[in-house]
Amino acid sequence: MSLDPEKAAVPSRPELLDFHGVSMTHYFTDNWENIQNFQARPDDVLIATYPKAGTTWVSYILDLLYFGKTAPERQTSIPIYQRVPFLEIAIPSIEPGKDLADKLPTSPRLIKTHFPVQFVPKSFWEQNCRMIYVARNAKDNIVSFFHFDQMTMIQPEAGDWTSYLQRFKEGKLVFGSWYDHVNDWWKKKQTYSNLHYMFFEDLVEDTGREIDKLCCFLGLSLSAEDKKQITGGVQFDNMKKNKMTNYSTFPAMDFKISTFMRKGKVGDWKNHFTVAQSEEFDDDYKKKMKDPTLNFRSEI
Ligand code: PPS
């Protein structure tokens, strides 16, 4: 597999399409049949998020929890996007995520998806796999997605900020409506007990506490020394410096436009939203987010 960004063919930007009622692009639907037939194993762990909610962060935490000690060479030789394959991705230059997942030599296999809950292949449910959903407050999520769509050639053009904001509200970004995504996964938690729902803001506030919760959910125990090491290793500045976690080896990103590890903050939305945009956004948000049990923090 070629992963040299200089040599790899850069995929062309796709159009948004309506796929079973969700805005998607063909890069995430081309392999649909194969993905739906994916054979999950009972110990597979699925990390699910709306894009830009902290997928890479949690992927890296999990990889360190499971394999940091037993297979330390992974940390310096295999980029995180190969250690934790992106199930639905099918773009030129890299192996389809489903094939990478099939071939993962690890046990458990850690697998990433941005699918809305109704798209998750049925074998994950049948095998009662553990799933971790990471959610991020809408305003920071949009800002992060906006920058990502500018620098990532496998995404449709971002356009200007005002129109991007409008498309976010209408659910017309890749992987559909943020509102549906976070709510539908939240609802799933009520009936599927092997789902751990966590928040980006909590991770920023107290990474160690969230790692404890993850260990509890995964049935792992961690020495104080290991916990200290992992908590330090996954801090933003360390992940940003680390070639294996900062996506600098991924072929379809233009790092002159933005970095993948951009700011990692709660509240960066204040640098993008005007006061009027924020008020309008909040009004629309209240209409869409009716469940009093699902609460986000857009500042900490
Ligand atoms: S993707 O492309 O959907 O997989 O992106 P994802 O990994 O979900 O989200 C990327 C954003 O998460 C931030 N990030 C972090 N923030 C704080 N600490 C750590 N360790 C960390 N790792 C990743 C990353 O910087 C992106 O957010 P923004 O706001 O753009 O900086």
Side-chain angles (χ1 to χ4, degrees), residues 46-59 131-136 141 178 181-182 185 195-201 203 214 296:
L46 188 68
I47 301 163
T49 66
Y50 190 77
K52 313 319 289 178
T55 335
T56 314
W57 197 359
V58 171
S59 298
M131 301 187 192
I132 295 163
Y133 187 79
V134 195
R136 185 177 191 180
N141 208 142
W178 175 92
H181 211 284
V182 298
W185 274 97
L195 172 58
H196 179 67
Y197 198 108
M198 60 191 295
F199 297 90
F200 181 93
E201 294 72 29
L203 263 173
L214 277 169
F296 285 89

PDB file of all heavy atoms in Angstrom, residues 46-59 131-136 141 178 181-182 185 195-201 203 214 296:
ATOM      1  N   LEU A  46     -15.839  -0.897  18.498  1.00  0.00           N
ATOM      2  CA  LEU A  46     -16.172   0.087  17.466  1.00  0.00           C
ATOM      3  C   LEU A  46     -16.151   1.488  18.079  1.00  0.00           C
ATOM      4  O   LEU A  46     -16.807   1.739  19.093  1.00  0.00           O
ATOM      5  CB  LEU A  46     -17.564  -0.212  16.897  1.00  0.00           C
ATOM      6  CG  LEU A  46     -17.977   0.610  15.679  1.00  0.00           C
ATOM      7  CD1 LEU A  46     -17.128   0.240  14.452  1.00  0.00           C
ATOM      8  CD2 LEU A  46     -19.458   0.410  15.354  1.00  0.00           C
ATOM      9  N   ILE A  47     -15.378   2.388  17.460  1.00  0.00           N
ATOM     10  CA  ILE A  47     -15.326   3.786  17.905  1.00  0.00           C
ATOM     11  C   ILE A  47     -16.136   4.590  16.897  1.00  0.00           C
ATOM     12  O   ILE A  47     -15.765   4.672  15.720  1.00  0.00           O
ATOM     13  CB  ILE A  47     -13.868   4.291  17.952  1.00  0.00           C
ATOM     14  CG1 ILE A  47     -13.057   3.409  18.911  1.00  0.00           C
ATOM     15  CG2 ILE A  47     -13.809   5.762  18.360  1.00  0.00           C
ATOM     16  CD1 ILE A  47     -11.551   3.542  18.734  1.00  0.00           C
ATOM     17  N   ALA A  48     -17.239   5.151  17.344  1.00  0.00           N
ATOM     18  CA  ALA A  48     -18.139   5.842  16.426  1.00  0.00           C
ATOM     19  C   ALA A  48     -18.236   7.319  16.797  1.00  0.00           C
ATOM     20  O   ALA A  48     -18.284   7.664  17.985  1.00  0.00           O
ATOM     21  CB  ALA A  48     -19.534   5.209  16.488  1.00  0.00           C
ATOM     22  N   THR A  49     -18.243   8.164  15.776  1.00  0.00           N
ATOM     23  CA  THR A  49     -18.352   9.609  16.008  1.00  0.00           C
ATOM     24  C   THR A  49     -18.950  10.277  14.785  1.00  0.00           C
ATOM     25  O   THR A  49     -18.835   9.763  13.674  1.00  0.00           O
ATOM     26  CB  THR A  49     -16.962  10.280  16.173  1.00  0.00           C
ATOM     27  OG1 THR A  49     -16.265  10.172  14.923  1.00  0.00           O
ATOM     28  CG2 THR A  49     -16.126   9.662  17.265  1.00  0.00           C
ATOM     29  N   TYR A  50     -19.523  11.453  14.989  1.00  0.00           N
ATOM     30  CA  TYR A  50     -19.709  12.390  13.886  1.00  0.00           C
ATOM     31  C   TYR A  50     -18.297  12.925  13.587  1.00  0.00           C
ATOM     32  O   TYR A  50     -17.503  13.102  14.519  1.00  0.00           O
ATOM     33  CB  TYR A  50     -20.650  13.527  14.319  1.00  0.00           C
ATOM     34  CG  TYR A  50     -21.087  14.404  13.173  1.00  0.00           C
ATOM     35  CD1 TYR A  50     -22.057  13.971  12.285  1.00  0.00           C
ATOM     36  CD2 TYR A  50     -20.526  15.663  12.986  1.00  0.00           C
ATOM     37  CE1 TYR A  50     -22.453  14.773  11.225  1.00  0.00           C
ATOM     38  CE2 TYR A  50     -20.918  16.469  11.927  1.00  0.00           C
ATOM     39  CZ  TYR A  50     -21.883  16.009  11.044  1.00  0.00           C
ATOM     40  OH  TYR A  50     -22.272  16.802   9.989  1.00  0.00           O
ATOM     41  N   PRO A  51     -17.946  13.164  12.305  1.00  0.00           N
ATOM     42  CA  PRO A  51     -16.578  13.597  12.026  1.00  0.00           C
ATOM     43  C   PRO A  51     -16.152  14.791  12.887  1.00  0.00           C
ATOM     44  O   PRO A  51     -16.947  15.694  13.144  1.00  0.00           O
ATOM     45  CB  PRO A  51     -16.634  14.008  10.545  1.00  0.00           C
ATOM     46  CG  PRO A  51     -17.779  13.229   9.981  1.00  0.00           C
ATOM     47  CD  PRO A  51     -18.770  13.069  11.088  1.00  0.00           C
ATOM     48  N   LYS A  52     -14.911  14.752  13.313  1.00  0.00           N
ATOM     49  CA  LYS A  52     -14.232  15.820  14.051  1.00  0.00           C
ATOM     50  C   LYS A  52     -14.638  15.938  15.520  1.00  0.00           C
ATOM     51  O   LYS A  52     -14.456  16.978  16.148  1.00  0.00           O
ATOM     52  CB  LYS A  52     -14.415  17.205  13.374  1.00  0.00           C
ATOM     53  CG  LYS A  52     -14.171  17.238  11.892  1.00  0.00           C
ATOM     54  CD  LYS A  52     -13.003  16.443  11.420  1.00  0.00           C
ATOM     55  CE  LYS A  52     -11.653  17.012  11.796  1.00  0.00           C
ATOM     56  NZ  LYS A  52     -10.574  16.093  11.292  1.00  0.00           N
ATOM     57  N   ALA A  53     -15.134  14.849  16.081  1.00  0.00           N
ATOM     58  CA  ALA A  53     -15.578  14.884  17.482  1.00  0.00           C
ATOM     59  C   ALA A  53     -14.550  14.316  18.454  1.00  0.00           C
ATOM     60  O   ALA A  53     -14.795  14.278  19.664  1.00  0.00           O
ATOM     61  CB  ALA A  53     -16.900  14.132  17.616  1.00  0.00           C
ATOM     62  N   GLY A  54     -13.400  13.855  17.950  1.00  0.00           N
ATOM     63  CA  GLY A  54     -12.396  13.285  18.856  1.00  0.00           C
ATOM     64  C   GLY A  54     -12.081  11.824  18.578  1.00  0.00           C
ATOM     65  O   GLY A  54     -11.532  11.121  19.432  1.00  0.00           O
ATOM     66  N   THR A  55     -12.377  11.395  17.369  1.00  0.00           N
ATOM     67  CA  THR A  55     -12.146  10.001  16.962  1.00  0.00           C
ATOM     68  C   THR A  55     -10.691   9.573  17.145  1.00  0.00           C
ATOM     69  O   THR A  55     -10.402   8.509  17.702  1.00  0.00           O
ATOM     70  CB  THR A  55     -12.456   9.833  15.448  1.00  0.00           C
ATOM     71  OG1 THR A  55     -13.380  10.818  15.037  1.00  0.00           O
ATOM     72  CG2 THR A  55     -12.938   8.441  15.142  1.00  0.00           C
ATOM     73  N   THR A  56      -9.787  10.408  16.635  1.00  0.00           N
ATOM     74  CA  THR A  56      -8.370  10.046  16.635  1.00  0.00           C
ATOM     75  C   THR A  56      -7.842  10.001  18.070  1.00  0.00           C
ATOM     76  O   THR A  56      -7.048   9.127  18.429  1.00  0.00           O
ATOM     77  CB  THR A  56      -7.575  11.084  15.813  1.00  0.00           C
ATOM     78  OG1 THR A  56      -8.283  11.308  14.585  1.00  0.00           O
ATOM     79  CG2 THR A  56      -6.171  10.600  15.511  1.00  0.00           C
ATOM     80  N   TRP A  57      -8.305  10.923  18.861  1.00  0.00           N
ATOM     81  CA  TRP A  57      -7.893  10.987  20.259  1.00  0.00           C
ATOM     82  C   TRP A  57      -8.273   9.685  20.991  1.00  0.00           C
ATOM     83  O   TRP A  57      -7.437   9.027  21.617  1.00  0.00           O
ATOM     84  CB  TRP A  57      -8.561  12.196  20.914  1.00  0.00           C
ATOM     85  CG  TRP A  57      -7.981  12.660  22.200  1.00  0.00           C
ATOM     86  CD1 TRP A  57      -6.921  12.109  22.869  1.00  0.00           C
ATOM     87  CD2 TRP A  57      -8.417  13.780  22.967  1.00  0.00           C
ATOM     88  NE1 TRP A  57      -6.678  12.838  24.008  1.00  0.00           N
ATOM     89  CE2 TRP A  57      -7.569  13.862  24.094  1.00  0.00           C
ATOM     90  CE3 TRP A  57      -9.435  14.736  22.814  1.00  0.00           C
ATOM     91  CZ2 TRP A  57      -7.730  14.865  25.064  1.00  0.00           C
ATOM     92  CZ3 TRP A  57      -9.581  15.726  23.780  1.00  0.00           C
ATOM     93  CH2 TRP A  57      -8.738  15.780  24.886  1.00  0.00           C
ATOM     94  N   VAL A  58      -9.536   9.317  20.855  1.00  0.00           N
ATOM     95  CA  VAL A  58     -10.011   8.111  21.558  1.00  0.00           C
ATOM     96  C   VAL A  58      -9.401   6.851  20.929  1.00  0.00           C
ATOM     97  O   VAL A  58      -9.073   5.883  21.628  1.00  0.00           O
ATOM     98  CB  VAL A  58     -11.559   8.077  21.585  1.00  0.00           C
ATOM     99  CG1 VAL A  58     -12.078   6.751  22.101  1.00  0.00           C
ATOM    100  CG2 VAL A  58     -12.072   9.221  22.455  1.00  0.00           C
ATOM    101  N   SER A  59      -9.204   6.875  19.610  1.00  0.00           N
ATOM    102  CA  SER A  59      -8.556   5.725  18.958  1.00  0.00           C
ATOM    103  C   SER A  59      -7.171   5.503  19.554  1.00  0.00           C
ATOM    104  O   SER A  59      -6.772   4.374  19.857  1.00  0.00           O
ATOM    105  CB  SER A  59      -8.397   5.968  17.454  1.00  0.00           C
ATOM    106  OG  SER A  59      -9.639   6.126  16.843  1.00  0.00           O
ATOM    107  N   MET A 131     -19.054  -0.680  21.969  1.00  0.00           N
ATOM    108  CA  MET A 131     -18.988   0.510  21.106  1.00  0.00           C
ATOM    109  C   MET A 131     -18.754   1.740  21.971  1.00  0.00           C
ATOM    110  O   MET A 131     -19.299   1.834  23.073  1.00  0.00           O
ATOM    111  CB  MET A 131     -20.304   0.693  20.348  1.00  0.00           C
ATOM    112  CG  MET A 131     -20.635  -0.500  19.478  1.00  0.00           C
ATOM    113  SD  MET A 131     -22.058  -0.171  18.459  1.00  0.00           S
ATOM    114  CE  MET A 131     -22.381  -1.846  17.875  1.00  0.00           C
ATOM    115  N   ILE A 132     -17.933   2.628  21.441  1.00  0.00           N
ATOM    116  CA  ILE A 132     -17.667   3.880  22.151  1.00  0.00           C
ATOM    117  C   ILE A 132     -18.074   5.007  21.224  1.00  0.00           C
ATOM    118  O   ILE A 132     -17.577   5.098  20.095  1.00  0.00           O
ATOM    119  CB  ILE A 132     -16.173   3.982  22.524  1.00  0.00           C
ATOM    120  CG1 ILE A 132     -15.838   2.877  23.535  1.00  0.00           C
ATOM    121  CG2 ILE A 132     -15.848   5.368  23.091  1.00  0.00           C
ATOM    122  CD1 ILE A 132     -14.373   2.598  23.683  1.00  0.00           C
ATOM    123  N   TYR A 133     -19.014   5.815  21.669  1.00  0.00           N
ATOM    124  CA  TYR A 133     -19.432   6.959  20.857  1.00  0.00           C
ATOM    125  C   TYR A 133     -18.847   8.224  21.489  1.00  0.00           C
ATOM    126  O   TYR A 133     -18.989   8.442  22.692  1.00  0.00           O
ATOM    127  CB  TYR A 133     -20.969   7.063  20.803  1.00  0.00           C
ATOM    128  CG  TYR A 133     -21.425   8.136  19.835  1.00  0.00           C
ATOM    129  CD1 TYR A 133     -21.436   7.900  18.469  1.00  0.00           C
ATOM    130  CD2 TYR A 133     -21.804   9.401  20.286  1.00  0.00           C
ATOM    131  CE1 TYR A 133     -21.819   8.890  17.566  1.00  0.00           C
ATOM    132  CE2 TYR A 133     -22.183  10.401  19.399  1.00  0.00           C
ATOM    133  CZ  TYR A 133     -22.189  10.135  18.032  1.00  0.00           C
ATOM    134  OH  TYR A 133     -22.559  11.123  17.139  1.00  0.00           O
ATOM    135  N   VAL A 134     -18.187   9.039  20.665  1.00  0.00           N
ATOM    136  CA  VAL A 134     -17.632  10.302  21.152  1.00  0.00           C
ATOM    137  C   VAL A 134     -18.417  11.436  20.502  1.00  0.00           C
ATOM    138  O   VAL A 134     -18.559  11.465  19.272  1.00  0.00           O
ATOM    139  CB  VAL A 134     -16.137  10.469  20.802  1.00  0.00           C
ATOM    140  CG1 VAL A 134     -15.523  11.600  21.627  1.00  0.00           C
ATOM    141  CG2 VAL A 134     -15.373   9.178  20.993  1.00  0.00           C
ATOM    142  N   ALA A 135     -18.921  12.351  21.320  1.00  0.00           N
ATOM    143  CA  ALA A 135     -19.691  13.476  20.804  1.00  0.00           C
ATOM    144  C   ALA A 135     -19.011  14.784  21.219  1.00  0.00           C
ATOM    145  O   ALA A 135     -18.369  14.850  22.268  1.00  0.00           O
ATOM    146  CB  ALA A 135     -21.108  13.424  21.354  1.00  0.00           C
ATOM    147  N   ARG A 136     -19.177  15.782  20.362  1.00  0.00           N
ATOM    148  CA  ARG A 136     -18.552  17.098  20.622  1.00  0.00           C
ATOM    149  C   ARG A 136     -19.603  18.182  20.428  1.00  0.00           C
ATOM    150  O   ARG A 136     -20.473  18.052  19.546  1.00  0.00           O
ATOM    151  CB  ARG A 136     -17.393  17.292  19.631  1.00  0.00           C
ATOM    152  CG  ARG A 136     -16.574  18.533  19.852  1.00  0.00           C
ATOM    153  CD  ARG A 136     -15.412  18.591  18.868  1.00  0.00           C
ATOM    154  NE  ARG A 136     -14.482  19.632  19.254  1.00  0.00           N
ATOM    155  CZ  ARG A 136     -13.367  19.924  18.589  1.00  0.00           C
ATOM    156  NH1 ARG A 136     -13.039  19.241  17.497  1.00  0.00           N
ATOM    157  NH2 ARG A 136     -12.568  20.879  19.000  1.00  0.00           N
ATOM    158  N   ASN A 141     -17.663  21.509  16.841  1.00  0.00           N
ATOM    159  CA  ASN A 141     -17.649  20.442  15.839  1.00  0.00           C
ATOM    160  C   ASN A 141     -17.697  21.026  14.421  1.00  0.00           C
ATOM    161  O   ASN A 141     -16.938  20.639  13.538  1.00  0.00           O
ATOM    162  CB  ASN A 141     -18.821  19.491  16.103  1.00  0.00           C
ATOM    163  CG  ASN A 141     -18.558  18.076  15.622  1.00  0.00           C
ATOM    164  OD1 ASN A 141     -18.943  17.108  16.263  1.00  0.00           O
ATOM    165  ND2 ASN A 141     -17.896  17.910  14.487  1.00  0.00           N
ATOM    166  N   TRP A 178     -25.651  16.460  12.146  1.00  0.00           N
ATOM    167  CA  TRP A 178     -25.036  16.288  13.478  1.00  0.00           C
ATOM    168  C   TRP A 178     -26.125  15.999  14.506  1.00  0.00           C
ATOM    169  O   TRP A 178     -25.962  15.146  15.379  1.00  0.00           O
ATOM    170  CB  TRP A 178     -24.256  17.568  13.838  1.00  0.00           C
ATOM    171  CG  TRP A 178     -23.673  17.586  15.219  1.00  0.00           C
ATOM    172  CD1 TRP A 178     -22.421  17.174  15.586  1.00  0.00           C
ATOM    173  CD2 TRP A 178     -24.323  18.027  16.429  1.00  0.00           C
ATOM    174  NE1 TRP A 178     -22.257  17.343  16.957  1.00  0.00           N
ATOM    175  CE2 TRP A 178     -23.396  17.861  17.491  1.00  0.00           C
ATOM    176  CE3 TRP A 178     -25.590  18.544  16.725  1.00  0.00           C
ATOM    177  CZ2 TRP A 178     -23.704  18.195  18.815  1.00  0.00           C
ATOM    178  CZ3 TRP A 178     -25.899  18.875  18.038  1.00  0.00           C
ATOM    179  CH2 TRP A 178     -24.957  18.698  19.070  1.00  0.00           C
ATOM    180  N   HIS A 181     -27.309  12.512  14.291  1.00  0.00           N
ATOM    181  CA  HIS A 181     -26.212  11.600  14.639  1.00  0.00           C
ATOM    182  C   HIS A 181     -26.106  11.459  16.157  1.00  0.00           C
ATOM    183  O   HIS A 181     -26.194  10.358  16.718  1.00  0.00           O
ATOM    184  CB  HIS A 181     -24.911  12.161  14.059  1.00  0.00           C
ATOM    185  CG  HIS A 181     -23.891  11.141  13.661  1.00  0.00           C
ATOM    186  ND1 HIS A 181     -23.115  10.479  14.578  1.00  0.00           N
ATOM    187  CD2 HIS A 181     -23.502  10.677  12.448  1.00  0.00           C
ATOM    188  CE1 HIS A 181     -22.286   9.647  13.941  1.00  0.00           C
ATOM    189  NE2 HIS A 181     -22.508   9.744  12.641  1.00  0.00           N
ATOM    190  N   VAL A 182     -25.936  12.608  16.835  1.00  0.00           N
ATOM    191  CA  VAL A 182     -25.713  12.536  18.295  1.00  0.00           C
ATOM    192  C   VAL A 182     -26.969  12.036  19.018  1.00  0.00           C
ATOM    193  O   VAL A 182     -26.868  11.300  19.998  1.00  0.00           O
ATOM    194  CB  VAL A 182     -25.238  13.889  18.887  1.00  0.00           C
ATOM    195  CG1 VAL A 182     -23.909  14.309  18.287  1.00  0.00           C
ATOM    196  CG2 VAL A 182     -26.281  14.993  18.725  1.00  0.00           C
ATOM    197  N   TRP A 185     -27.587   8.065  18.260  1.00  0.00           N
ATOM    198  CA  TRP A 185     -26.662   7.224  19.033  1.00  0.00           C
ATOM    199  C   TRP A 185     -27.012   7.277  20.520  1.00  0.00           C
ATOM    200  O   TRP A 185     -26.915   6.278  21.234  1.00  0.00           O
ATOM    201  CB  TRP A 185     -25.204   7.650  18.784  1.00  0.00           C
ATOM    202  CG  TRP A 185     -24.590   7.013  17.569  1.00  0.00           C
ATOM    203  CD1 TRP A 185     -24.474   7.545  16.320  1.00  0.00           C
ATOM    204  CD2 TRP A 185     -23.986   5.704  17.493  1.00  0.00           C
ATOM    205  NE1 TRP A 185     -23.845   6.655  15.475  1.00  0.00           N
ATOM    206  CE2 TRP A 185     -23.527   5.534  16.171  1.00  0.00           C
ATOM    207  CE3 TRP A 185     -23.781   4.673  18.412  1.00  0.00           C
ATOM    208  CZ2 TRP A 185     -22.880   4.361  15.743  1.00  0.00           C
ATOM    209  CZ3 TRP A 185     -23.133   3.505  17.999  1.00  0.00           C
ATOM    210  CH2 TRP A 185     -22.704   3.365  16.681  1.00  0.00           C
ATOM    211  N   LEU A 195     -22.702   0.125  24.972  1.00  0.00           N
ATOM    212  CA  LEU A 195     -22.333   1.391  24.334  1.00  0.00           C
ATOM    213  C   LEU A 195     -21.922   2.413  25.394  1.00  0.00           C
ATOM    214  O   LEU A 195     -22.686   2.693  26.326  1.00  0.00           O
ATOM    215  CB  LEU A 195     -23.533   1.910  23.530  1.00  0.00           C
ATOM    216  CG  LEU A 195     -23.474   3.301  22.912  1.00  0.00           C
ATOM    217  CD1 LEU A 195     -22.295   3.454  21.966  1.00  0.00           C
ATOM    218  CD2 LEU A 195     -24.763   3.574  22.130  1.00  0.00           C
ATOM    219  N   HIS A 196     -20.710   2.929  25.254  1.00  0.00           N
ATOM    220  CA  HIS A 196     -20.209   3.971  26.158  1.00  0.00           C
ATOM    221  C   HIS A 196     -20.245   5.288  25.401  1.00  0.00           C
ATOM    222  O   HIS A 196     -19.570   5.428  24.382  1.00  0.00           O
ATOM    223  CB  HIS A 196     -18.783   3.613  26.590  1.00  0.00           C
ATOM    224  CG  HIS A 196     -18.140   4.610  27.487  1.00  0.00           C
ATOM    225  ND1 HIS A 196     -18.574   4.858  28.775  1.00  0.00           N
ATOM    226  CD2 HIS A 196     -17.071   5.443  27.304  1.00  0.00           C
ATOM    227  CE1 HIS A 196     -17.807   5.780  29.336  1.00  0.00           C
ATOM    228  NE2 HIS A 196     -16.897   6.163  28.464  1.00  0.00           N
ATOM    229  N   TYR A 197     -21.026   6.244  25.886  1.00  0.00           N
ATOM    230  CA  TYR A 197     -21.195   7.530  25.206  1.00  0.00           C
ATOM    231  C   TYR A 197     -20.363   8.562  25.950  1.00  0.00           C
ATOM    232  O   TYR A 197     -20.545   8.761  27.147  1.00  0.00           O
ATOM    233  CB  TYR A 197     -22.679   7.898  25.249  1.00  0.00           C
ATOM    234  CG  TYR A 197     -23.145   8.947  24.265  1.00  0.00           C
ATOM    235  CD1 TYR A 197     -23.933   8.589  23.173  1.00  0.00           C
ATOM    236  CD2 TYR A 197     -22.857  10.295  24.442  1.00  0.00           C
ATOM    237  CE1 TYR A 197     -24.405   9.548  22.278  1.00  0.00           C
ATOM    238  CE2 TYR A 197     -23.322  11.256  23.554  1.00  0.00           C
ATOM    239  CZ  TYR A 197     -24.097  10.869  22.470  1.00  0.00           C
ATOM    240  OH  TYR A 197     -24.571  11.819  21.580  1.00  0.00           O
ATOM    241  N   MET A 198     -19.430   9.183  25.269  1.00  0.00           N
ATOM    242  CA  MET A 198     -18.565  10.135  25.963  1.00  0.00           C
ATOM    243  C   MET A 198     -18.470  11.452  25.206  1.00  0.00           C
ATOM    244  O   MET A 198     -18.866  11.535  24.033  1.00  0.00           O
ATOM    245  CB  MET A 198     -17.187   9.522  26.213  1.00  0.00           C
ATOM    246  CG  MET A 198     -16.439   9.112  24.976  1.00  0.00           C
ATOM    247  SD  MET A 198     -14.966   8.109  25.357  1.00  0.00           S
ATOM    248  CE  MET A 198     -13.959   9.306  26.236  1.00  0.00           C
ATOM    249  N   PHE A 199     -17.940  12.466  25.879  1.00  0.00           N
ATOM    250  CA  PHE A 199     -17.920  13.812  25.318  1.00  0.00           C
ATOM    251  C   PHE A 199     -16.489  14.354  25.211  1.00  0.00           C
ATOM    252  O   PHE A 199     -15.692  14.216  26.146  1.00  0.00           O
ATOM    253  CB  PHE A 199     -18.757  14.765  26.186  1.00  0.00           C
ATOM    254  CG  PHE A 199     -20.211  14.393  26.229  1.00  0.00           C
ATOM    255  CD1 PHE A 199     -20.699  13.534  27.203  1.00  0.00           C
ATOM    256  CD2 PHE A 199     -21.090  14.870  25.264  1.00  0.00           C
ATOM    257  CE1 PHE A 199     -22.044  13.162  27.233  1.00  0.00           C
ATOM    258  CE2 PHE A 199     -22.437  14.514  25.288  1.00  0.00           C
ATOM    259  CZ  PHE A 199     -22.909  13.658  26.270  1.00  0.00           C
ATOM    260  N   PHE A 200     -16.220  14.998  24.068  1.00  0.00           N
ATOM    261  CA  PHE A 200     -14.924  15.630  23.813  1.00  0.00           C
ATOM    262  C   PHE A 200     -14.571  16.608  24.952  1.00  0.00           C
ATOM    263  O   PHE A 200     -13.431  16.639  25.434  1.00  0.00           O
ATOM    264  CB  PHE A 200     -15.013  16.387  22.471  1.00  0.00           C
ATOM    265  CG  PHE A 200     -13.759  17.077  22.034  1.00  0.00           C
ATOM    266  CD1 PHE A 200     -12.852  16.433  21.201  1.00  0.00           C
ATOM    267  CD2 PHE A 200     -13.484  18.386  22.418  1.00  0.00           C
ATOM    268  CE1 PHE A 200     -11.693  17.076  20.771  1.00  0.00           C
ATOM    269  CE2 PHE A 200     -12.329  19.033  21.999  1.00  0.00           C
ATOM    270  CZ  PHE A 200     -11.434  18.377  21.177  1.00  0.00           C
ATOM    271  N   GLU A 201     -15.557  17.375  25.398  1.00  0.00           N
ATOM    272  CA  GLU A 201     -15.305  18.411  26.410  1.00  0.00           C
ATOM    273  C   GLU A 201     -14.843  17.781  27.723  1.00  0.00           C
ATOM    274  O   GLU A 201     -13.997  18.338  28.427  1.00  0.00           O
ATOM    275  CB  GLU A 201     -16.576  19.246  26.643  1.00  0.00           C
ATOM    276  CG  GLU A 201     -17.013  20.078  25.431  1.00  0.00           C
ATOM    277  CD  GLU A 201     -17.602  19.251  24.285  1.00  0.00           C
ATOM    278  OE1 GLU A 201     -18.186  18.178  24.541  1.00  0.00           O
ATOM    279  OE2 GLU A 201     -17.460  19.680  23.121  1.00  0.00           O
ATOM    280  N   LEU A 203     -13.188  15.020  27.962  1.00  0.00           N
ATOM    281  CA  LEU A 203     -11.801  14.567  27.738  1.00  0.00           C
ATOM    282  C   LEU A 203     -10.816  15.720  27.900  1.00  0.00           C
ATOM    283  O   LEU A 203      -9.734  15.545  28.449  1.00  0.00           O
ATOM    284  CB  LEU A 203     -11.666  14.018  26.319  1.00  0.00           C
ATOM    285  CG  LEU A 203     -11.774  12.520  26.113  1.00  0.00           C
ATOM    286  CD1 LEU A 203     -11.792  12.212  24.627  1.00  0.00           C
ATOM    287  CD2 LEU A 203     -10.628  11.772  26.775  1.00  0.00           C
ATOM    288  N   LEU A 214     -13.272   4.742  30.654  1.00  0.00           N
ATOM    289  CA  LEU A 214     -13.089   3.830  29.520  1.00  0.00           C
ATOM    290  C   LEU A 214     -12.612   2.460  30.012  1.00  0.00           C
ATOM    291  O   LEU A 214     -13.126   1.414  29.572  1.00  0.00           O
ATOM    292  CB  LEU A 214     -12.069   4.395  28.525  1.00  0.00           C
ATOM    293  CG  LEU A 214     -12.577   5.397  27.509  1.00  0.00           C
ATOM    294  CD1 LEU A 214     -11.420   6.064  26.774  1.00  0.00           C
ATOM    295  CD2 LEU A 214     -13.507   4.707  26.506  1.00  0.00           C
ATOM    296  N   PHE A 296     -24.806  19.204  26.030  1.00  0.00           N
ATOM    297  CA  PHE A 296     -23.449  19.511  25.572  1.00  0.00           C
ATOM    298  C   PHE A 296     -22.950  20.792  26.238  1.00  0.00           C
ATOM    299  O   PHE A 296     -23.732  21.661  26.591  1.00  0.00           O
ATOM    300  CB  PHE A 296     -23.453  19.717  24.046  1.00  0.00           C
ATOM    301  CG  PHE A 296     -23.574  18.432  23.286  1.00  0.00           C
ATOM    302  CD1 PHE A 296     -24.820  17.909  22.967  1.00  0.00           C
ATOM    303  CD2 PHE A 296     -22.438  17.740  22.883  1.00  0.00           C
ATOM    304  CE1 PHE A 296     -24.936  16.715  22.270  1.00  0.00           C
ATOM    305  CE2 PHE A 296     -22.547  16.546  22.183  1.00  0.00           C
ATOM    306  CZ  PHE A 296     -23.797  16.030  21.873  1.00  0.00           C
TER     307      PHE A 296
END
